[in-house]
């Protein structure tokens, strides 16, 4: 592995304060996203937003995040990870505050779009700081599993905190992250070491590649998010334009002396499987969460706080990821642990299929706790697999690819579940029709996890073949 003349830090001499700061940033991102989802009804009531415009409060963030992620990942490699992290954490802080000050719906949507862009640059920079600060092996694996557990803990806690803050004012859903971001920024200035100019920064910047892939990703995410509103003709047209731009991007990268994305990185089968797995896992979970929130709030009449508390059991990942998962990874390896996580996720979602009009929380709890365990077995090891064996100068790129897969998977899962739910329910809004629609929509997360099981099984087969050859 290339290192620009610097040895990776080991667990014995590195500052765990650095990991604490970066975990704080991913916790900030997780809590910001989940609090927003809980606060939407309050936002609509005060700003008078329609259902279509309200969707864009969420979609604008996903569009900015997913559209600029690859560019953000490569920018960390080219211009310095610390610089990118601090710069875009500051942008995140400023525009989160502006979102809380919004008096019109369009102002809030613009603020969320820029906040998403800032996360697209900040997140891969933070992740690549971890992967280049810890030596590859047990030390890095433990750090990544702690990082992944913190991300899920932020998301889970945000569901509850968002419900509480929304009781006072939805604006505190924005002001809270501002305070947290400011504290993280102060700690980051002190604890993230200043590094020399990256060797890769001496190369030229692939502007044509950056423009083409960013436009392609923006159109791709837009087409997926807005599929139910655009109609088939427009959706196909948008996705076709995205495919053309991706084709142009590939042509540019093949000829570029300093490509934004070195296409040879996809020769790593572990990276490809990890990204496909991340896409399917994120799509299955966000699809499941969407169905669950609709079922509990629209059909059962639960409050946003009660719904957040019901989903809190998923946060068991924050305990298991840094404690149990490292032991399992050390004992069995990444791929078997990921395979087990997908199997548990499939079982969890299947257990939710028989939901009824009067289900108790005790009946739902097995699904919630199994989903949390599945997260602990899948999210962190996927992060390890996606960055394992990648040279230091491309760690930002690998991190950007992984986060792009998570974001695109989440958007795709939500879009497909929404379309299936709408098609199944039709114009009938009776309780039984709504329930039937939720049950049919739950088939989507189950199908996604089964695909994930199949892809991971290929990795198990390759691993078994390699062991057989070695013996």
């Amino acid at each position: 592995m290339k290192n620009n003349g610097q040895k990776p830090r080991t667990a014995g001499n590195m500052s765990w304060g650095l990991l604490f700061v970066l975990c704080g940033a991913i916790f900030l991102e997780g809590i910001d996203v989940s609090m927003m989802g809980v606060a939407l009804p309050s936002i609509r009531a005060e700003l008078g937003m329609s259902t279509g415009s309200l969707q864009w409060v969420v979609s604008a963030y996903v569009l900015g995040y997913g559209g600029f992620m690859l560019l953000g990942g490569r920018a960390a490699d080219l211009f310095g990870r610390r610089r990118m992290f601090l710069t875009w954490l500051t942008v995140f802080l400023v525009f989160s505050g502006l979102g809380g000050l919004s008096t019109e719906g369009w102002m809030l949507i613009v603020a969320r779009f820029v906040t998403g862009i800032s996360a697209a640059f900040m997140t891969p920079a933070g992740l690549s700081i971890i992967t280049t600060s810890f030596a590859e092996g047990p030390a890095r694996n433990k750090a990544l599993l702690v990082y992944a557990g913190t991300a899920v803990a932020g998301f889970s806690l945000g569901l509850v905190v968002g419900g509480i803050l929304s009781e006072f004012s939805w604006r505190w859903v924005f002001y809270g992250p501002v305070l947290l971001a400011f504290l993280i920024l102060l700690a980051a200035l002190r604890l993230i070491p200043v590094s020399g100019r990256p060797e890769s920064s001496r190369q030229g910047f692939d502007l044509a590649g950056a423009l083409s892939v960013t436009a392609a990703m923006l159109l791709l995410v837009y087409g997926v998010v807005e599929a139910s509103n655009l109609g088939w003709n427009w959706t196909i047209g948008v996705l076709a334009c995205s495919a053309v731009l991706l084709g142009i991007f590939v042509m540019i990268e093949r000829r570029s002396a300093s490509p934004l994305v070195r296409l040879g990185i996809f020769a790593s089968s572990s990276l490809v499987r990890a990204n496909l797995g991340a896409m399917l896992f994120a799509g299955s979970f966000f699809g499941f969460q969407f169905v669950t929130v609709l079922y509990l709030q629209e059909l059962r009449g639960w409050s946003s706080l009660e719904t957040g508390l019901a989903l809190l059991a998923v946060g068991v990942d924050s305990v298991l990821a840094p404690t149990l998962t490292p032991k399992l990874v050390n004992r069995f390896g990444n791929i078997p642990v990921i395979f087990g996580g997908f199997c548990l996720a499939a079982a969890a979602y299947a257990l939710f299929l028989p939901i009824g009009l009067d289900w108790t929380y005790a009946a739902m709890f097995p699904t919630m706790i199994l989903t949390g365990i599945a997260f602990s077995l899948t999210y962190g090891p996927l992060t390890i697999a996606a960055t394992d064996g990648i040279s230091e100068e491309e760690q930002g790129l690998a991190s950007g690819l992984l986060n792009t897969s998570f974001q695109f998977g989440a958007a795709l899962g939500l879009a497909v579940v929404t379309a299936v739910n709408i098609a199944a329910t039709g114009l009938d809004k009776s309780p039984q029709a709504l329930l039937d629609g939720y049950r049919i929509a739950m088939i989507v997360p189950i199908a996604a996890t089964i695909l994930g099981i199949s892809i991971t099984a290929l990795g198990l087969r390759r691993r078994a073949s390699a062991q057989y050859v070695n013996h």
Side-chain angles (χ1 to χ4, degrees):
M1 178 184 296
K2 293 181 181 180
N3 200 347
N4 296 339
Q6 297 179 354
K7 293 182 180 180
R9 301 177 185 182
T10 63
N13 61 16
M14 81 149 303
S15 170
W16 285 85
L18 170 66
L19 179 61
F20 178 78
V21 168
L22 299 172
C23 283
I26 199 65
F27 179 88
L28 169 67
E29 183 204 335
I31 200 171
D32 175 77
V33 171
S34 58
M35 286 197 303
M36 181 59 53
V38 176
L40 289 176
S42 301
I43 293 172
R44 171 158 60 182
E46 183 169 331
L47 298 185
M49 301 177 71
S50 65
T51 301
S53 61
L54 188 69
Q55 177 192 348
W56 271 102
V57 175
V58 176
S59 298
Y61 181 88
V62 174
L63 189 64
Y65 201 152
F68 285 84
M69 181 63 74
L70 280 179
L71 181 58
R74 193 58 179 145
D77 293 330
L78 292 173
F79 306 122
R81 299 177 181 103
R82 183 181 189 271
R83 179 188 300 174
M84 288 294 99
F85 181 83
L86 294 176
T87 299
W88 290 99
L89 177 59
T90 304
V91 175
F92 186 100
L93 185 158
V94 170
F95 277 85
S96 186
L98 290 175
L101 295 172
S102 299
T103 56
E104 299 288 341
W106 68 266
M107 296 169 63
L108 182 57
I109 291 170
V110 170
R112 289 305 290 170
F113 179 66
V114 179
T115 304
I117 294 174
S118 67
F121 282 84
M122 179 179 70
T123 303
L127 180 55
S128 60
I129 289 173
I130 293 177
T131 57
T132 54
S133 297
F134 286 82
E136 189 172 307
R140 181 189 292 180
N141 291 350
K142 183 177 181 180
L144 289 175
L145 292 172
V146 171
Y147 183 79
T150 305
V152 178
F155 187 87
S156 302
L157 185 60
L159 295 170
V160 181
V161 174
I164 295 173
L165 293 179
S166 296
E167 295 294 324
F168 297 97
S169 171
W170 62 267
R171 296 182 186 277
W172 275 102
V173 169
F174 292 87
Y175 298 150
V178 168
L179 296 175
L180 182 57
F182 181 71
L183 294 175
I184 294 171
L185 181 60
L186 292 179
L189 287 169
R190 179 180 179 84
L191 295 174
I192 298 179
V194 177
S195 57
R197 187 184 181 193
E199 185 177 312
S200 55
S201 67
R202 299 183 180 93
Q203 304 171 4
F205 182 67
D206 182 14
L207 180 61
L211 292 175
S212 59
V213 75
T214 300
M217 294 305 298
L218 284 170
L219 287 174
L220 181 61
V221 176
Y222 177 76
V224 169
V225 168
E226 285 291 284
S228 60
N229 297 323
L230 290 174
W232 281 108
N233 291 336
W234 275 103
T235 299
I236 292 173
V238 169
L239 295 180
C241 289
S242 174
V244 170
L245 285 170
L246 282 174
I248 293 172
F249 169 71
V250 170
M251 292 173 59
I252 292 171
E253 298 309 280
R254 284 179 173 175
R255 299 177 181 178
S256 175
S258 53
L260 183 71
V261 177
R262 185 181 63 84
L263 299 180
I265 197 172
F266 295 106
S268 169
S269 58
S270 174
L271 178 143
V272 173
R273 284 195 304 271
N275 278 272
L276 290 174
M279 190 182 303
L280 291 167
F281 191 78
S284 67
F285 174 74
F286 279 89
F288 159 72
Q289 184 199 29
F290 180 75
V291 172
T292 303
V293 169
L294 290 180
Y295 166 71
L296 293 177
Q297 293 194 22
E298 292 193 351
L299 188 60
R300 302 296 301 280
W302 290 27
S303 68
S304 57
L305 179 57
E306 289 172 326
T307 301
L309 289 171
L311 291 167
L312 187 59
V314 178
V316 70
D317 171 89
S318 61
V319 177
L320 296 180
T323 56
L324 176 63
T325 307
K327 297 177 182 177
L328 295 176
V329 169
N330 289 336
R331 174 67 178 84
F332 301 105
N334 280 322
I335 300 175
V337 175
I338 294 170
F339 182 80
F342 268 112
C343 290
L344 281 181
Y349 302 148
L351 287 173
F352 205 71
L353 269 179
I355 51 174
L357 294 173
D358 56 352
W359 252 31
T360 62
Y361 183 67
M364 306 175 210
F365 184 75
T367 291
M368 305 301 176
I369 196 71
L370 284 176
T371 301
I373 297 172
F375 239 114
S376 69
L377 298 180
T378 310
Y379 187 82
L382 281 172
T383 304
I384 296 171
T387 56
D388 211 14
I390 304 299
S391 61
E392 180 173 318
E393 61 266 24
E394 291 187 323
Q395 283 291 329
L397 172 59
S399 302
L401 287 170
L402 179 67
N403 283 290
T404 298
S405 296
F406 273 119
Q407 288 298 315
F408 180 66
L412 183 61
L414 283 171
V416 175
V417 164
T418 300
V420 171
N421 183 50
I422 291 173
T425 305
L427 298 177
D428 188 352
K429 301 301 179 183
S430 65
Q432 188 59 50
L434 291 175
L435 183 63
D436 291 341
Y438 300 148
R439 286 173 176 168
I440 295 173
M442 275 302 300
I443 295 174
V444 176
I446 295 172
T449 51
I450 291 174
L451 278 175
I453 290 171
S454 301
I455 290 172
T456 310
L458 293 175
L460 283 174
R461 185 176 179 182
R462 288 176 63 92
R463 183 171 179 265
S465 299
Q467 290 177 342
Y468 177 79
V469 171
N470 290 334
H471 284 84

